[in-house]
Structures are given as C-alpha cells and as structure tokens.
C-alpha cells in the first residue's frame, strides 16, 4: 500500500533535534500534528490510553515520513498522575530533552447538563482539565523549568457556551484560563504556553467514526463562513507555527482555527416558550400600588 503523503508549509528541518510529546497522537488531529512534526525533523513520543492503536499508528507514520523519522509510543492515561510522571520521565530519558508538549488527548459525551452524573462530570473534567494540568506541570518540573519549551493545548469551539456538552465546555474554558496563568508564571523560564481551538467542522475520519455518521458534520457546515469543512492539516499548521520561533513573542494566546465560525451562527435551537417575563418600572409600580391600596388590606 502506498504511504499517505506528508508535507508542511514550514521548511523541512525546522524542528531538527527537537523532541515533542503529542497526547492522542495516534488518531485524528493528533496524528496529523505528529506527522507534520516528524516531517519537520522533530522526534515524537505519542501517548494515549489505548496502546494497541499507538503501535499501529507509529509504524504507519514511520513509513510515511521519509527517514529519519523517530517516533515512539507509550500508553498513558493522562488522568493518572503517576502515568503522566512516567510519560515525561521516559521521554526525557530516551531522548535527553523535551522541547514541546502538545496536549491533544481529550474527550466528552453528549448529554443535557441535567442528566450528567457526578461520575460523568468528573471523568470529563479529569481528562480535559486535570490531565492537561498534569502534563504541563510535569513537563515543566521535569524539564522545561530549566531548559524552556513550548506547550500547545488543543481546546474546542466553546465560545458561546457548549449546550449538550456543558462539562467539556467548562473544562476547556478552564484550560484556556490555565494557559494564561502558566504563560505568565513560566515566562521567566522561557516556557511559552498557548492553545489552538479548532471549530467543530474540522473533518477527520476519527471524529466521523466517533460521531457515528457524517450528519453532525453536515449540520455544522451551515455554521461555517468558509462553506467547507476544515482540514486537520489546517489545525496542525497552527500548532507548528505556535511551536516555532516565528511565535517567540506569542504566549497565553488561543488561536481559533474555525474560519470565523465562532463569530457566526450556532446550531442550538431554543424552543418557543413564555417562561421569561419582562420587567418594567410600570409593572413594578402597578404591583406596588395594588399591594398598598385599601382594598388589598381587607
Ligand atoms: N485521550 C482521551 N482520553 C485520554 C486519557 N484519559 N489519557 C490519554 N489520552 C486520552
């Protein structure tokens, strides 16, 4: 089977001798990011909860990117502090450095907020917010505090809230704020921390498989000013830019890759209702008058 093409808008060798960890690097957007980093000369450790996928993906990517593509994989549940510590220390031991962390691993499930159990809520918080925090903290404590580095976290289009995914919206908004705090706390050690926020119309086969059909994508398409799906390459280019020296003066920032969708329409429909009564002074005064009139004292 012919290898898939790999390329980049950035010059080959840009990330020679650099080392990155990409969580969720074996599928979807994370896989495209990994392929581009490898193409640019970076050595990459991919990590996720599912080890079998990782092995297959890393073998595939090794073949796709002409040598020397140096890719490793490690099973890691980012919710588990000890596993995150071990992912970072193993990477530093293997490669002798850690320049970039790309926090791409995450997930959620559709549910109205009223139906989210505490267990479900905590699981989404732990994966998306706590997992990102642990990855950043360990990368900093074990390497970047002394040597600098760049961290990019992939978040989502939650700018108008995220009805039906309220847990994930809250967690991702938390990540965005965490990013700002870390960018300031770690600036003096030469660590830059940013986010990339893809819109919900980035097409990947992994996302399509997760959603079970293309319907979700087709519906989202109406909300995209560009009138087309985004590509995983368009997200990866933003990540590569933020990791590169071209972004040396950018930290604590979030780059939306959504063609302006977050400024445009939303798919959420609110059913007709009469549950919101207007407030006016006139009504207020009328009510007060009624309460103080002699007849009301009878
Ligand atoms: N991707 C989704 N959930 C994850 C987890 N808990 N650990 C690592 N990668 C993940």
């Amino acid at each position: 089977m012919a290898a898939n093409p790999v390329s980049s808008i950035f010059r080959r060798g840009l990330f020679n001798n650099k080392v990155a960890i990409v969580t969720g690097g074996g599928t979807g957007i994370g896989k495209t990011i990994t392929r581009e980093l490898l193409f640019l000369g970076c050595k990459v450790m991919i990590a996720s909860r599912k080890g079998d996928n990782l092995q297959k993906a890393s073998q595939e990517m090794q073949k796709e990117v002409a040598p020397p593509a140096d890719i490793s994989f490690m099973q890691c549940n980012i919710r588990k502090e000890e596993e995150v510590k071990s992912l970072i220390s193993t990477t530093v031991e293997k490669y002798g450095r850690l320049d970039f962390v790309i926090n791409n691993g995450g997930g959620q499930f559709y549910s109205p907020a009223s139906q989210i159990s505490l267990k479900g809520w905590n699981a989404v918080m732990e994966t998306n917010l706590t997992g990102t925090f642990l990855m950043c903290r360990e990368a900093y404590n074990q390497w970047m505090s002394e040597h600098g580095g760049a961290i990019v976290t992939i978040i989502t289009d939650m700018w108008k809230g995220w009805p039906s995914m309220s847990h994930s919206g809250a967690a991702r908004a938390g990540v965005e704020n965490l990013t700002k705090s870390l960018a300031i706390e770690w600036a003096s050690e030469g660590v830059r921390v940013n986010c990339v926020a893809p819109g919900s119309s980035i097409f990947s086969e992994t996302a399509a498989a997760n959603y079970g059909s293309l319907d979700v994508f087709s519906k989202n398409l109406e909300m995209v000013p560009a009138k087309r799906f985004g590509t995983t390459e368009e997200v990866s280019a933003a990540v590569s830019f933020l990791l590169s020296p071209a972004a040396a003066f950018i930290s604590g920032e979030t780059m939306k890759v959504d063609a302006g969708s977050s400024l445009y329409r939303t798919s959420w429909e609110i059913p007709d209702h009469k549950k919101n009564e207007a407030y006016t002074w006139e009504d207020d005064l009328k009510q007060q008058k009624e309460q103080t009139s002699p007849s009301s004292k009878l």
Side-chain angles (χ1 to χ4, degrees), residues 23-24 47-50 76-79 104-107 126-127:
T23 62
S48 86
R49 245 177 343 169
K50 294 177 193 146
C76 172
N77 184 346
I78 54 171
R79 293 190 208 169
N104 164 74
E126 282 171 22
T127 301

Side-chain angles (χ1 to χ4, degrees), residues 62-215:
Q62 193 132 40
K63 279 193 213 127
E64 285 168 353
V65 182
D70 193 336
I71 179 166
S72 308
F73 64 93
M74 189 169 159
Q75 194 167 336
C76 172
N77 184 346
I78 54 171
R79 293 190 208 169
K80 305 259 164 83
E81 187 172 24
E82 290 314 311
E83 291 188 27
V84 171
K85 281 186 176 176
S86 168
L87 171 64
I88 306 289
S89 63
T90 304
T91 308
V92 170
E93 275 159 31
K94 171 158 186 165
Y95 290 116
R97 56 189 297 143
L98 176 59
D99 302 281
F100 308 139
V101 168
I102 298 89
N103 293 305
N104 164 74
Q108 58 272 317
F109 55 89
Y110 280 114
S111 176
S114 58
Q115 303 300 312
I116 300 175
S117 66
L118 182 58
K119 190 170 170 228
W121 174 270
N122 285 341
V124 172
M125 284 293 154
E126 282 171 22
T127 301
N128 296 294
L129 180 55
T130 312
T132 299
F133 164 68
L134 290 173
M135 285 293 298
C136 293
R137 189 195 69 188
E138 284 311 305
Y140 178 82
N141 284 345
Q142 293 191 39
W143 183 263
M144 292 183 180
S145 58
E146 280 189 33
H147 306 91
I151 298 172
V152 174
T153 302
I154 308 297
I155 55 171
T156 53
D157 179 352
M158 43 62 190
W159 309 106
K160 296 187 177 100
W162 201 358
S164 80
M165 298 270 209
S166 56
H167 40 20
S168 190
R172 311 302 184 132
V175 168
E176 203 218 4
N177 199 270
L178 173 69
T179 297
K180 292 176 183 172
S181 302
L182 302 184
I184 299 304
E185 282 195 29
W186 298 348
S188 54
E189 277 80 38
V191 181
R192 293 184 303 107
V193 194
N194 290 292
C195 291
V196 166
S200 48
S201 293
I202 303 294
F203 180 81
S204 82
E205 276 166 21
T206 310
N210 281 348
Y211 291 130
S213 80
L214 287 177
D215 289 359

